[in-house]
Amino acid sequence: MIEFLKYVRGYLRIRVWGFSPERFMNLCSNKDILLWDIVRDGEVYYMNITLKGFFKLRPIAKKTGIRVAVLQRYGLPFFLPKLLKRKVFLAGLLLTVAFWIWSSTHIWDIELEGNYQITQDVFNRFLKDNQVSEGMRKELLDIEELEKEIRRQFPQVTWASAKLDGTKLRISIKENDAPILTDVEEKTPGRDLVSQYQGTVVSIMVRSGVPVVAPGDVVEFGSVLVEGKVPVYNDDSTLREYIYVDADADVILEHTQSFSDTLPFDYIKKEYTGREEKRYYLRLGEKEWKMPEDRPFLVYDSLIRESRSLLFQKLSIPFYTGSYTHREYQNVEYVYTLDEAKIILIQKISDYIESLEEKGVQIIEKDVKIDTNIDSWVVTGEFLVQEPVGVSIEIGEAVPPGETGQPEPGEADEPLEEESDPSEAEESD
C-alpha cells in the first residue's frame, strides 16, 4: 500500500555528492523529507525522494554545499502528461473501458446442466419463447419467474435453479427419474401376431398365444401366425372360456424381396474456375455486420470461416470474426462410362444388402441384373431371404399396409438416393 501511495504522488531517483552528504541527509530528516533506498558509491550517494520533498532541497543543499542531480522520474505525475499526448491510445483506452462496462450489463452466455430427457434444442426454443437470449440486459431477466416457468413447462423437472455468474447465466435442473404417468387409450384386450409378407414359415417359437401355423406352411400377407385368443377347457374337454393375451413369438419367414434403382446416363459435375472473392464480417450474438456486396459471380458457392479470440471466450462474450469466400464454378455435363456405371450401381446393391443384414435378414439367394432404358441405367435384384416377421394387431383388425412393410397397390419400391459422381463434394449455392 505504501509503495502504491508513493507511485501515485510521484518520486525521483537522485544522485547526491559534495562537501557533507551525511549532514545533508540529517537535515532532510529534521525537515521531514523522506529518503529511502540509499546507496553509497565512493563519495557519491544514490537515493529516492518524494516529489514534494525534492522542492524543499534547495536551502538544505545550499547550506551543506551539496549538489543534487535527478536520474529517474517515477509515478503518475510523470506518466499522465505523456499519456495525454497520445490521443489515439487514450481514446482507445476509454472506449475499451466503456465497452467492458457496457458488456458487463448484458448476458452473453447461457449454460444448461442437469438435462438428460430435455434436449438442448428444446430448451433453447423454450428460452426464446420466454424472451431469454444471449445479448439481453441483465435487468430484464426475472430469475424467480424463469425458474417457475421451467417447472411449469417441463413436468419432468423437479428442481430448477438459475443464477448470474458475471456475464453468464447458469441454469441447473434436476429431472424426475420415475416414469411420467399418462392417460393410456383403452384398447380391446388381446392381440394377434400376423405376417407382413407372403412366404414359407421356416421356424416358429411361441412365448404367448396359440400358434396357427407350423414350419413349412405357406402364408399370405396378413395371415395370422399366432392368435391372442387362448381357449380354456373343462375337465371333460368342453370349452369353458377364452383368455385374451398379446400374442408373442419368434417367427422366421422365407420370402422373395425385390430391389430396383436407376442411374441417369449423364450427370452434372461442379468445376471451379479459380476466381474467388472474400468478404469479412463481425458477429455479436445474433447480430451480424458484414461488408456490402453485390452478387460476385453468376454461379458460385460460399465457404464460411469463423473464429473467436481466447479473450472473448474467457469472458463468455459471443463476439466472432469471420469471412465469406465466394468461389465461382461451372456446371459441366459428363456421361457415365460403362465401368463407372457398374461401380455405382454395384455400390447401390451393396448398400441395400448391408441394410438388410443390419435388420437381421439372411440372404439365401440373389439375382442381380444391370440393363438400360431410354435415358438411364437400371439395376434390378431378386432376393430370397429369411427374416423375422410378425406385426401385433388387435384381434379382428385389418393389417394396415403402411405399418407392415407391404407396398400399397400401385406403390413402387422407394429408390435409393441418386448419386451424381462419386468424387463430387456436397456444397450448397
Side-chain angles (χ1 to χ4, degrees), residues 237-394:
S237 300
T238 59
L239 179 66
R240 184 175 66 185
E241 61 177 337
Y242 286 102
I243 297 178
Y244 294 92
V245 298
D246 292 342
D248 184 19
D250 291 334
V251 183
I252 304 298
L253 189 72
E254 183 175 284
H255 66 99
T256 58
Q257 195 157 332
S258 61
F259 166 82
S260 66
D261 202 352
T262 60
L263 180 69
F265 287 143
D266 54 4
Y267 64 95
I268 301 298
K269 184 178 180 181
K270 186 186 299 183
E271 290 190 353
Y272 292 95
T273 64
R275 297 175 60 193
E276 296 182 352
E277 280 195 12
K278 201 169 189 178
R279 294 288 187 270
Y280 296 92
Y281 69 92
L282 301 174
R283 184 166 68 85
L284 180 62
E286 297 180 355
K287 295 183 179 179
E288 184 177 296
W289 299 269
K290 59 182 178 180
M291 299 170 58
E293 61 175 338
D294 297 326
R295 186 179 181 89
F297 308 109
L298 182 62
V299 182
Y300 66 96
D301 59 17
S302 299
L303 182 64
I304 302 176
R305 290 187 175 92
E306 188 175 81
S307 61
R308 184 183 183 189
S309 68
L310 182 61
L311 175 63
F312 292 111
Q313 291 182 35
K314 295 296 184 182
L315 296 173
S316 298
I317 297 178
F319 183 77
Y320 300 86
T321 58
S323 65
Y324 295 93
T325 302
H326 305 305
R327 306 177 298 178
E328 184 186 34
Y329 67 89
Q330 295 177 346
N331 290 319
V332 182
E333 185 174 348
Y334 290 90
V335 177
Y336 286 114
T337 65
L338 176 60
D339 292 337
E340 290 174 339
K342 282 184 176 180
I343 291 174
I344 296 175
L345 293 174
I346 290 173
Q347 184 61 46
K348 290 177 180 288
I349 288 288
S350 299
D351 293 340
Y352 178 73
I353 292 175
E354 184 178 349
S355 68
L356 292 179
E357 292 175 346
E358 289 177 353
K359 298 176 183 177
V361 179
Q362 183 179 359
I363 300 175
I364 308 301
E365 295 178 4
K366 61 181 177 180
D367 181 19
V368 179
K369 297 179 181 179
I370 296 178
D371 204 347
T372 59
N373 57 19
I374 298 176
D375 59 355
S376 61
W377 299 89
V378 179
V379 57
T380 58
E382 290 289 334
F383 299 90
L384 181 63
V385 301
Q386 293 181 359
E387 66 172 305
V389 297
V391 175
S392 179
I393 63 170
E394 292 184 8

Side-chain angles (χ1 to χ4, degrees), residues 14-18 20-22 24-25 35 39 43-47 57 66-69 71:
I14 61 175
R15 181 176 64 184
V16 176
W17 75 97
S20 181
E22 292 80 3
F24 168 81
M25 288 184 281
L35 302 174
V39 178
E43 298 298 327
V44 180
Y45 287 83
Y46 299 91
M47 61 194 72
L57 291 183
I66 289 298
R67 300 184 65 182
V68 179
L71 301 178

Side-chain angles (χ1 to χ4, degrees), residues 117 155-156 176-185:
Q117 303 175 35
Q156 63 268 50
N176 189 3
D177 297 333
I180 300 175
L181 299 178
T182 57
D183 294 335
V184 179
E185 182 181 355

Side-chain angles (χ1 to χ4, degrees), residues 68-355:
V68 179
V70 177
L71 301 178
Q72 296 287 342
R73 298 173 176 85
Y74 302 96
L76 286 180
F78 305 105
F79 174 73
L80 289 178
K82 295 180 181 180
L83 181 63
L84 294 175
K85 292 179 182 178
R86 301 179 180 179
K87 296 181 180 179
V88 176
F89 174 77
L90 183 61
L93 180 63
L94 294 176
L95 288 175
T96 301
V97 173
F99 173 75
W100 297 139
I101 295 175
W102 174 81
S103 63
S104 64
T105 62
H106 291 69
I107 297 172
W108 296 114
D109 192 14
I110 300 176
E111 182 180 277
L112 174 65
E113 55 186 28
N115 59 310
Y116 299 99
Q117 303 175 35
I118 305 171
T119 64
Q120 187 70 44
D121 291 340
V122 171
F123 200 83
N124 288 340
R125 286 196 295 269
F126 160 76
L127 293 177
K128 187 176 181 180
D129 294 340
N130 287 272
Q131 289 77 46
V132 179
S133 61
E134 295 178 350
M136 70 175 297
R137 295 180 61 87
K138 292 181 180 178
E139 61 187 25
L140 301 179
L141 176 65
D142 188 342
I143 291 181
E144 292 185 2
E145 183 61 29
L146 176 62
E147 293 173 346
K148 293 178 182 178
E149 193 63 28
I150 292 173
R151 292 190 291 268
R152 279 196 294 263
Q153 292 289 331
F154 302 103
Q156 63 268 50
V157 174
T158 58
W159 175 81
S161 173
K163 66 177 181 179
L164 288 171
D165 184 6
T167 59
K168 178 182 290 187
L169 173 61
R170 297 183 182 274
I171 301 175
S172 301
I173 63 175
K174 186 175 181 181
E175 299 172 343
N176 189 3
D177 297 333
I180 300 175
L181 299 178
T182 57
D183 294 335
V184 179
E185 182 181 355
E186 187 175 343
K187 297 181 180 181
T188 304
R191 301 178 70 85
D192 290 337
L193 196 67
V194 300
S195 173
Q196 65 267 46
Y197 298 107
Q198 177 183 353
T200 304
V201 177
V202 176
S203 65
I204 180 170
M205 185 180 70
V206 180
R207 282 183 288 271
S208 66
V210 179
V212 179
V213 297
D217 291 350
V218 177
V219 298
E220 301 292 332
F221 165 72
S223 298
V224 177
L225 303 174
V226 181
E227 286 187 341
K229 184 179 178 182
V230 181
V232 179
Y233 296 95
N234 295 315
D235 295 336
D236 58 357
S237 300
T238 59
L239 179 66
R240 184 175 66 185
E241 61 177 337
Y242 286 102
I243 297 178
Y244 294 92
V245 298
D246 292 342
D248 184 19
D250 291 334
V251 183
I252 304 298
L253 189 72
E254 183 175 284
H255 66 99
T256 58
Q257 195 157 332
S258 61
F259 166 82
S260 66
D261 202 352
T262 60
L263 180 69
F265 287 143
D266 54 4
Y267 64 95
I268 301 298
K269 184 178 180 181
K270 186 186 299 183
E271 290 190 353
Y272 292 95
T273 64
R275 297 175 60 193
E276 296 182 352
E277 280 195 12
K278 201 169 189 178
R279 294 288 187 270
Y280 296 92
Y281 69 92
L282 301 174
R283 184 166 68 85
L284 180 62
E286 297 180 355
K287 295 183 179 179
E288 184 177 296
W289 299 269
K290 59 182 178 180
M291 299 170 58
E293 61 175 338
D294 297 326
R295 186 179 181 89
F297 308 109
L298 182 62
V299 182
Y300 66 96
D301 59 17
S302 299
L303 182 64
I304 302 176
R305 290 187 175 92
E306 188 175 81
S307 61
R308 184 183 183 189
S309 68
L310 182 61
L311 175 63
F312 292 111
Q313 291 182 35
K314 295 296 184 182
L315 296 173
S316 298
I317 297 178
F319 183 77
Y320 300 86
T321 58
S323 65
Y324 295 93
T325 302
H326 305 305
R327 306 177 298 178
E328 184 186 34
Y329 67 89
Q330 295 177 346
N331 290 319
V332 182
E333 185 174 348
Y334 290 90
V335 177
Y336 286 114
T337 65
L338 176 60
D339 292 337
E340 290 174 339
K342 282 184 176 180
I343 291 174
I344 296 175
L345 293 174
I346 290 173
Q347 184 61 46
K348 290 177 180 288
I349 288 288
S350 299
D351 293 340
Y352 178 73
I353 292 175
E354 184 178 349
S355 68

